[in-house]
Amino acid sequence: MLERQLLLSRAKMSAFDAVEHLAGLQAQAPFPPYYALWARLASFKPSDLASLLENRQVVRIALMRGTVHLVTAADALAWRPVVQGLYDRDLKQNTQHAHELAGLDHDQVAEAARKLLLRGPLAGTALGAELAQRWPDVPKASLTHLARARLPLVQTPPRAIWGKAGQTTYACLDEWVGAPLSPPSPASLISRYLRAFGPATVADVQVWAGITRLGEVAAAMDLRRYRDPDGRELLDLPELTVPDEDVPAPPRLLGGFDQMILSYAERTRVISDEYRKRVISQNGLVKGTLLVGGYVRGFWELRKERKAATVELAPFEKLPKKDLAALESAAGRLVSWAEPDAEAREVRVLPVA
């Protein structure tokens, strides 16, 4: 897993190739993908990713688990149809919107939304307001929710461009990138997950994707099969190998919402249940983490005051001196990379709590 997530050594590949290799990046917030690539690539500049968004080679779109991911345009076209079922279920079960949308012709609303978006990207509130002119008895937010569920909507720049602000505006994926969506292929999605995260169980794939019934798809695929220490079957692509278990796993600083923490049914392979409660808040925010020996051992935060920037390291346990020194060194590089214009930069290690 660490090898395939480019965390054993920094990879010498382009930002585009990394996004593709990693099966996309978590992007619930605008900037975590930049920190994810900084942690994994030998040489990465924010402009490397920003230009891909502006050139429409990568896009931000709600995909797996109903959450926003940053993926290549080709992967968005291939994967959005595979996960459509989870959006269809949400329209029937969503506690806030299902009742409001129950009597509508969903196809009709989606077609109206598509026609509106052909004129140009629209903010969610503006899209809802336009739709409400035709369906005035339905809340605007519910109409926007329906459009997001039934249409493959991307979030357009300047949203998520490094150093810029921007409200969320939407366009239809196929119109935005100038290519049609692909026929759904669950087997292809499984293969890409294993290439980025495997070996893994069927349950792991399903948790990452947010869809079920992948066991029968995997059973028909030509896959290598292992057993973990607890007897669970782990699947892998037959052409891939695993590194020796004594290969060093250097300390790393992972950004907020890093997919390493969120992409498995059995998350204790990365983070203990106790530590997970300290990293993931009740409202779903995920802090940047300290990775030591392949496991989460604390979190970090970037604090900015006036013209000063500080990275605070908060270990959950006493760490070996060499690992803590490596994390401090990485934090120094991180604050210089993230805040190059700060007049003062500092790394601070908090007491073990």
Side-chain angles (χ1 to χ4, degrees):
M1 173 189 65
L2 293 170
E3 179 186 53
R4 295 181 194 181
Q5 279 294 300
L6 309 180
L7 290 168
L8 288 184
S9 60
R10 291 178 182 270
K12 295 179 180 179
M13 64 172 63
S14 69
F16 179 88
D17 289 343
V19 172
E20 183 178 54
H21 170 83
L22 294 165
L25 299 167
Q26 295 286 146
Q28 290 97 316
F31 303 123
Y34 292 86
Y35 288 92
L37 294 179
W38 176 87
R40 290 166 167 86
L41 299 184
S43 177
F44 171 70
K45 304 184 298 295
S47 59
D48 296 340
L49 182 56
S51 64
L52 295 175
L53 282 162
E54 291 171 329
N55 295 334
R56 309 186 187 188
Q57 294 174 269
V58 303
V59 296
R60 288 167 48 83
I61 182 172
L63 282 175
M64 289 74 73
R65 304 187 305 285
T67 60
V68 178
H69 283 70
L70 186 148
V71 298
T72 68
D75 283 342
L77 293 166
W79 296 349
R80 187 59 170 80
V82 180
V83 300
Q84 180 60 43
L86 71 89
Y87 295 94
D88 293 338
R89 288 194 301 274
D90 178 75
L91 288 175
K92 298 177 181 178
Q93 300 170 1
N94 187 281
T95 55
Q96 183 178 356
H97 300 293
H99 176 73
E100 304 289 353
L101 298 171
L104 289 180
D105 183 326
H106 290 185
D107 289 339
Q108 195 174 62
V109 177
E111 184 58 30
R114 177 178 281 277
K115 288 179 179 178
L116 288 168
L117 292 168
L118 284 174
R119 305 174 190 170
L122 285 173
T125 52
L127 178 59
E130 291 279 359
L131 292 170
Q133 293 184 30
R134 183 167 174 183
W135 291 276
D137 296 330
V138 182
K140 299 172 186 177
S142 296
L143 291 168
T144 301
H145 184 79
L146 171 55
R148 284 198 302 254
R150 292 302 303 271
L151 297 174
L153 299 187
V154 297
Q155 298 184 7
T156 63
R159 182 71 169 172
I161 298 299
W162 185 265
K164 295 183 180 180
Q167 65 176 332
T168 303
T169 58
Y170 296 103
C172 285
L173 167 66
D174 45 337
E175 297 290 342
W176 183 251
V177 302
L181 276 73
S182 305
S185 173
S188 176
L189 192 67
I190 292 172
S191 294
R192 290 294 301 283
Y193 174 85
L194 294 176
R195 190 170 294 279
F197 295 97
T201 66
V202 169
D204 289 327
V205 188
Q206 293 184 156
V207 164
W208 170 75
I211 56 179
T212 57
R213 301 183 180 178
L214 293 180
E216 55 196 62
V217 179
M221 297 173 64
D222 177 22
L223 297 173
R224 180 176 293 171
R225 287 168 167 79
Y226 301 97
R227 291 284 173 185
D228 75 4
D230 296 320
R232 288 179 292 237
E233 184 178 63
L234 301 176
L235 308 178
D236 204 7
L237 299 179
E239 68 270 21
L240 299 183
T241 59
V242 296
D244 293 335
E245 55 186 38
D246 61 351
V247 170
R252 289 279 186 265
L253 297 181
L254 301 184
F257 292 100
D258 197 276
Q259 59 206 55
M260 280 277 293
I261 311 228
L262 302 171
S263 300
Y264 298 95
E266 181 49 71
R267 294 184 184 180
T268 56
R269 68 192 295 174
V270 179
I271 184 171
S272 70
D273 292 333
E274 175 191 357
Y275 290 172
R276 187 170 73 246
K277 295 174 184 177
R278 301 176 67 177
V279 167
I280 303 178
S281 68
Q282 290 186 342
N283 59 355
L285 297 178
V286 184
K287 296 178 180 179
T289 52
L290 315 180
L291 199 69
V292 178
Y295 294 93
V296 171
R297 305 296 190 191
F299 67 84
W300 65 268
E301 292 182 296
L302 176 60
R303 300 189 180 278
K304 292 180 280 185
E305 273 186 49
R306 297 177 182 175
K307 297 182 179 181
T310 301
V311 171
E312 290 186 347
L313 305 180
F316 295 151
E317 59 193 67
K318 185 175 176 59
L319 300 175
K321 289 183 178 180
K322 66 175 183 178
D323 292 333
L324 186 57
L327 291 171
E328 289 184 76
S329 177
R333 296 191 299 273
L334 175 63
V335 72
S336 296
W337 172 82
E339 299 294 333
D341 296 329
E343 293 182 3
R345 293 186 288 270
E346 182 184 358
V347 174
R348 185 181 304 147
V349 180
L350 303 181
V352 174

